[in-house]
Amino acid sequence: MNRPGSGTLSLLLVAALFAVGVGVYAALRPPPVPALRTGSAAPAFSLPVHGAGGEVSLASLRGKVVFVNFWATWCPPCRAEAPSLEHLYQSLRADGFEVLAISIDAPDSAPAIDAFRSDYSLDFPIPLDPHKQVYDAYQVAGVPETFLVDRSGRVVEHFIGPQNWDDPRYSRAIRRALGAPAESGGSAGG
């Protein structure tokens, strides 16, 4: 037999437990990651370099303008943009421009990466991010996706999707970044 008010008491108990559960969830979930925007410090990273041995970090390239390009061997648009990315790299590397073409291919993809590099005669470094930790830090939505990082480690441009890097507007954007002095006290590192 139900006592008068027992339904209300049960409802209050359920509501209280729900409120406690929401509070615990809010306290334990990780804080939201601030959006990576133009002007933001580029997330620091250090990754192994395919075929070269050793690692490369964004911090080690401080003072250079860096294209952080995310790609994969299985991505047709990545294949489409590879030749123009190599042309851009070759035309500006002597001026302090660097390309880090970060592969998100699986850990056992060395032969596919070798074939890709050979097919397009790529000379720029290919850091490896098979577990997508740097990919996630840059909040990448797909491949290819590219960030132009200035001399002080700040994102100055963000390009989503394949690009024809031979288009003069890209070299102009890079030259603008190359002409700007590095600011001290930037927070990108690695």
Side-chain angles (χ1 to χ4, degrees):
M1 179 179 223
N2 285 342
R3 288 190 264 161
S6 66
T8 305
L9 185 59
S10 296
L11 202 58
L12 286 173
L13 183 59
V14 167
L17 288 173
F18 178 76
V20 168
V22 168
V24 168
Y25 170 76
L28 295 178
R29 76 170 189 210
V33 176
L36 184 60
R37 303 177 193 274
T38 299
S40 297
F45 63 84
S46 182
L47 291 170
V49 178
H50 174 76
E55 291 195 344
V56 66
S57 69
L58 191 57
S60 70
L61 299 173
R62 182 62 58 92
K64 291 188 175 195
V65 172
V66 182
F67 246 22
V68 179
N69 172 268
F70 293 90
W71 70 282
T73 58
W74 45 261
C75 162
C78 300
R79 290 184 172 279
E81 80 171 2
S84 65
L85 186 57
E86 179 65 21
H87 295 152
L88 184 67
Y89 175 64
Q90 292 301 331
S91 69
L92 295 172
R93 71 190 276 191
D95 298 327
F97 175 64
E98 186 63 69
V99 170
L100 295 178
I102 300 175
S103 169
I104 62 164
D105 285 291
D108 60 351
S109 297
I113 295 170
D114 288 337
F116 190 98
R117 172 173 254 156
S118 176
D119 289 349
Y120 298 103
S121 301
L122 303 179
D123 195 33
F124 46 72
I126 299 177
L128 304 174
D129 187 25
H131 304 293
K132 297 184 180 177
Q133 292 171 324
V134 177
Y135 179 94
D136 290 343
Y138 276 73
Q139 302 169 23
V140 176
V143 289
E145 197 163 326
T146 305
F147 297 83
L148 177 60
V149 178
D150 71 9
R151 294 177 184 273
S152 62
R154 299 222 166 261
V155 175
V156 294
E157 297 276 347
H158 178 202
F159 308 99
I160 298 173
Q163 309 297 320
N164 175 5
W165 300 112
D166 289 329
D167 185 317
R169 66 185 161 147
Y170 300 116
S171 60
R172 283 193 302 267
I174 294 165
R175 287 193 188 286
R176 276 193 304 276
L178 286 166
E183 298 174 20
S184 61
S187 61

